[in-house]
Amino acid sequence: MKINTYVSPICLPTKEPVEGDKCVVAGWGFGRFSSDPSTVTLKDNANPIVITDECDGRKVLEGRFTPYMLCAGFQTGKTDSCWKDSGSPLMSKIGDAWYLQGLATFGVDCEKPSLPDVYANVFKFVSWITDQMTKL
């Protein structure tokens, strides 16, 4: 169901995302911490999923990684979500449909090498989301 040219519902994930899955994060936040706060442009960045074990050992989490989290970003720090992007969607396109893989949660600085951003792993919450939707 498409609402208009720019808006349509997003699908819930049907499987756990894996390392290297290509995703896009979209948000209204800054491109870097030093960016002009007056910008009102919706931005999107490509971010691959980072393997869990590798993410857990990085400075960003210092051993606090949980099964309800996933990380995405480039080793080079090329692009990622940033300040004021919390809650922004991390999406992947499979066929003609977009799937919500994660929700931006936190990171350490912006666009820094070897510091991926952390997202809530939506797949872990699909049952709860579905249960809540049936209560409406």
Side-chain angles (χ1 to χ4, degrees):
M1 173 180 86
K2 199 168 200 171
I3 296 171
N4 65 39
T5 305
Y6 306 102
V7 178
S8 62
I10 194 162
C11 301
L12 291 174
T14 56
K15 66 178 186 70
E16 186 90 32
V18 296
E19 180 182 12
D21 280 355
K22 291 178 175 46
C23 294
V24 173
V25 62
W28 297 98
F30 300 160
R32 295 179 180 273
F33 278 110
S34 60
S35 291
D36 178 5
S38 65
T39 184
V40 290
T41 304
L42 180 64
K43 292 173 276 314
D44 64 325
N45 295 314
N47 287 315
I49 300 294
V50 176
I51 191 163
T52 303
D53 294 340
E54 192 176 325
C55 184
D56 191 28
R58 293 183 181 181
K59 274 195 247 178
V60 69
L61 293 175
E62 298 174 346
R64 297 175 299 186
F65 195 82
T66 75
Y68 301 102
M69 299 174 185
L70 63 87
C71 287
F74 288 95
Q75 284 282 24
T76 59
K78 192 169 154 181
T79 62
D80 59 14
S81 55
C82 198
W83 189 41
K84 295 195 176 186
D85 277 330
S86 293
S88 293
L90 180 70
M91 309 162 283
S92 63
K93 189 172 186 182
I94 303 169
D96 289 332
W98 284 92
Y99 290 81
L100 181 62
Q101 301 296 346
L103 296 170
T105 306
F106 67 92
V108 176
D109 214 337
C110 298
E111 302 172 358
K112 294 287 186 182
S114 300
L115 291 174
D117 288 320
V118 181
Y119 296 83
N121 185 343
V122 174
F123 180 75
K124 299 290 188 176
F125 298 96
V126 169
S127 294
W128 180 83
I129 293 168
T130 303
D131 184 53
Q132 297 309 305
M133 290 172 61
T134 59
K135 293 177 181 178
L136 296 177

